[in-house]
Amino acid sequence: VQLQASGGGLVQPGGSLRLSCVVSGFTLGRITIGWFRQAPGKEREGVVSIRQSDGSTAYADSVRGRFTISRDNAKNTIYLQMNSLQPEDTAVYYCAAANAGLIRSSMFAIRYYGYWGQGTQVTVSS
């Protein structure tokens, strides 16, 4: 079981990045994949999550309308398209997997995510 996140970097305010998470070792249709982030001195928070069985998604209020999650099941890859990035989006971004299809109210509950990738740094600065 492995998750490999990539795509982070330095971007100016208003810019865009696309993160990728390659998932292996799961039956993809039975899990929930979440993107979380952790800024220095802050708790890890849920950003966006997708239930693989039906594509149901949940977005944090702070990113709704700017971030979009998508998937390519043939490549076992989940993408996070981040547009209109702001300095407050600066954080280490992690993809994580819950070995179940979570209900919407649980999609950002860290305790359900038993598998984590290594994180990728996103820095938004001029």
Side-chain angles (χ1 to χ4, degrees), residues 2-125:
Q2 192 172 13
L3 298 96
Q4 184 74 30
S6 62
L10 173 64
V11 63
Q12 292 186 342
S16 298
L17 282 173
R18 189 177 78 159
L19 306 184
S20 300
C21 177
V22 179
V23 181
S24 60
F26 290 100
T27 301
L28 207 58
R30 298 180 182 178
I31 64 175
T32 301
I33 298 293
W35 283 100
F36 295 79
R37 67 186 181 186
Q38 188 165 20
K42 294 188 176 182
E43 293 186 354
R44 192 170 297 188
E45 63 175 357
V47 176
V48 59
S49 179
I50 183 166
R51 185 170 61 216
Q52 287 292 94
S53 60
D54 61 359
S56 180
T57 57
Y59 287 86
D61 289 343
S62 59
V63 306
R64 187 175 292 113
R66 300 188 298 123
F67 290 12
T68 303
I69 192 169
S70 62
R71 56 184 176 170
D72 185 335
N73 287 341
K75 296 182 178 180
N76 281 357
T77 301
I78 307 296
Y79 301 101
L80 179 61
Q81 179 66 43
M82 305 186 296
N83 298 330
S84 301
L85 283 161
Q86 299 302 318
E88 52 265 34
D89 295 315
T90 295
V92 178
Y93 283 70
Y94 300 89
C95 60
N99 202 7
L102 299 178
I103 59 174
R104 186 177 298 273
S105 61
S106 297
M107 280 183 162
F108 291 153
I110 290 175
R111 65 185 182 275
Y112 293 122
Y113 290 84
Y115 306 92
W116 292 80
Q118 83 285 7
T120 185
Q121 176 70 47
V122 172
T123 303
V124 185
S125 175

